[in-house]
């Protein structure tokens, strides 16, 4: 904990974690609102997750954490109240400490992911999703609620992807990462491919129709090779910052008891892309 007595703090935990932009986002909002709190990053490996949770739950200054790769599934077993997360999204990205030390878990990724698509009518539209990890679960949960049509999942591990289709009651198919894309109206990269330090995502976008949207959840780098290829084809793009800011806003209010300041998103995006 910090040397500052009674200063509330929250964290983002993961492995790797150095790339995380969450401290910048929450730090920007804390400063803008004049809240005497901190938001840090903590490098937590899979084998250290249970010890991290046990230690932090005893710290009254710790308001909770955001959870990223590779802990979103494992964290569900470590909180006291996972709400309906296990039976719905099945992955946890936010843990909030209650004053009595109990831990509540939730997921703010699905709402954050869907926010930039909310104005579109995706009902019945064919979609393609790369990945079948924690982020893909939030994406598929949101897409199922939007009543999309045929869903093609491209993933290294086919069984995980098949289980996700079934879990969310989606009609679709599962193919390998080297399969040609379907003519999807929306392509989402919810894998870690293309992220700094990870292998590239190599897709031929030519099967996508005019007007298709390419949405990359990866935000480090922000302008991924996938988004550059989509722009070169004249397709609409959504980068990972919209989702990142959206999911962070919901978590911020849970940690610090106030919503982020309004009308500051452009300033925040500029800070995040500087
Ligand atoms: P995760 O649970 O670890 O899942 C990773 C996914 O990537 C899995 O589908 C995995 O395939 C695939 N993958 C990883 N390495 C691979 C490799 N070498 N070859 C082929 N496939 C590989 O991670 P996550 O939490 O879902 O996060 C995925 C990405 O989304 C990350 O880049 C993360 O930063 C980003 N994200 C962004 C936001 C946002 O707000 N913008 C929110 C959440 C996540 P297998 O299933 O075969 O293991």
């Amino acid at each position: 904990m910090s040397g500052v007595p009674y200063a509330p703090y929250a964290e983002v935990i993961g492995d790797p974690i150095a790339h995380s932009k969450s401290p910048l986002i929450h730090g920007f909002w804390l400063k803008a609102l004049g809240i005497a709190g901190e938001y840090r990053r903590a490098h937590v490996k899979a084998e250290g997750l249970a010890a991290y949770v046990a230690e932090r739950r005893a710290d009254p200054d710790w308001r909770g954490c955001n959870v990223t790769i590779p802990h979103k599934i494992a964290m569900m077993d470590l909180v006291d109240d996972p709400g309906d997360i296990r039976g719905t999204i099945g992955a946890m990205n936010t843990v909030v400490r209650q004053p009595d030390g109990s831990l509540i878990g939730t997921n703010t990724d699905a709402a954050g992911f869907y926010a930039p698509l909310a104005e579109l009518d995706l009902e019945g539209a064919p979609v393609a999703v790369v990945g079948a990890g924690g982020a893909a679960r939030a994406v598929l949960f949101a897409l199922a609620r939007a009543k999309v049509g045929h869903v093609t999942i491209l993933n290294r591990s086919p069984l995980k992807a098949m289980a996700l289709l079934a879990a969310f009651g989606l009609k679709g198919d599962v193919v390998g990462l080297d399969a040609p894309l379907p003519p999807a109206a929306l392509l989402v990269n919810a894998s870690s491919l293309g992220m700094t330090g990870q292998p590239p995502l190599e897709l031929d976008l030519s099967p996508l129709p005019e007007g298709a949207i390419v949405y990359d959840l990866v935000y480090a780098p922000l302008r991924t090779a996938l988004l550059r290829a989509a722009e070169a084809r004249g397709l609409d793009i959504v980068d990972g910052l919209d989702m990142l800011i959206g999911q962070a806003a919901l978590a911020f209010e849970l940690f610090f008891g106030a919503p982020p300041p309004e009308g500051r998103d452009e300033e925040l995006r500029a800070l995040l892309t500087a």
Side-chain angles (χ1 to χ4, degrees):
M1 62 173 278
S2 83
V4 183
Y6 313 119
Y9 73 103
E11 294 173 307
V12 58
I13 66 164
D15 176 28
I17 199 62
H19 68 281
S20 175
K21 294 191 185 291
S22 294
L24 261 180
I25 298 172
H26 288 262
F28 173 83
W29 289 333
L30 285 168
K31 194 172 168 199
L33 292 172
I35 295 175
E38 273 187 73
Y39 186 101
R40 313 166 183 171
R41 59 169 66 81
H43 187 193
V44 178
K45 290 181 179 282
E47 58 272 24
L49 183 63
Y52 166 86
V53 171
E55 186 186 304
R56 289 299 196 270
R57 82 155 69 224
D59 181 353
D61 291 342
W62 183 74
R63 295 296 168 84
C65 63
N66 286 121
V67 180
T68 186
I69 298 173
H71 305 312
K72 290 189 178 185
I73 310 259
M75 188 56 99
M76 287 190 298
D77 290 330
L78 297 173
V79 298
D80 302 295
D81 180 3
D84 64 354
I85 289 294
R86 203 182 292 280
T88 55
I89 300 178
M92 189 165 280
N93 83 325
T94 305
V95 175
V96 183
R97 184 188 186 279
Q98 301 298 105
D100 66 359
S102 62
L103 305 181
I104 294 176
T106 187
N107 189 311
T108 62
D109 280 336
F113 161 74
Y114 196 65
L117 305 174
E119 302 295 311
L120 306 173
D121 180 11
L122 289 173
E123 191 167 342
V127 303
V129 175
V130 184
R137 296 190 78 96
V139 166
L140 291 165
F141 174 78
L143 292 177
R145 289 181 64 156
K147 298 185 171 60
V148 296
H150 191 95
V151 178
T152 301
I153 303 184
L154 297 88
N155 199 51
R156 174 177 61 179
S157 312
L159 286 180
K160 272 171 74 179
M162 283 175 201
L164 286 193
L165 281 182
F168 296 111
L170 290 161
K171 289 199 178 110
D173 60 339
V174 172
V175 297
L177 290 162
D178 54 357
L181 286 174
L186 170 68
L187 167 67
V188 181
N189 176 31
S191 79
S192 37
L193 296 174
M195 183 178 162
T196 304
Q198 300 293 318
L201 176 59
E202 286 162 347
L203 295 176
D204 172 11
L205 301 185
S206 55
L208 300 181
E210 291 298 313
I213 300 163
V214 176
Y215 191 152
D216 200 339
L217 269 55
V218 170
Y219 55 83
L222 186 60
R223 235 7 165 220
T224 59
L226 175 67
L227 293 184
R228 290 200 308 271
E231 275 183 322
R233 261 219 51 204
L235 302 175
D236 290 331
I237 62 164
V238 182
D239 66 41
L241 277 194
D242 279 328
M243 175 172 173
L244 190 70
I245 294 171
Q247 59 80 28
L250 297 166
F252 183 87
E253 189 161 358
L254 292 171
F255 296 145
F256 298 111
E262 284 180 22
R264 306 288 294 268
D265 277 11
E266 283 313 311
E267 206 181 325
L268 179 56
R269 278 188 76 96
L271 179 72
L272 291 167
T273 50

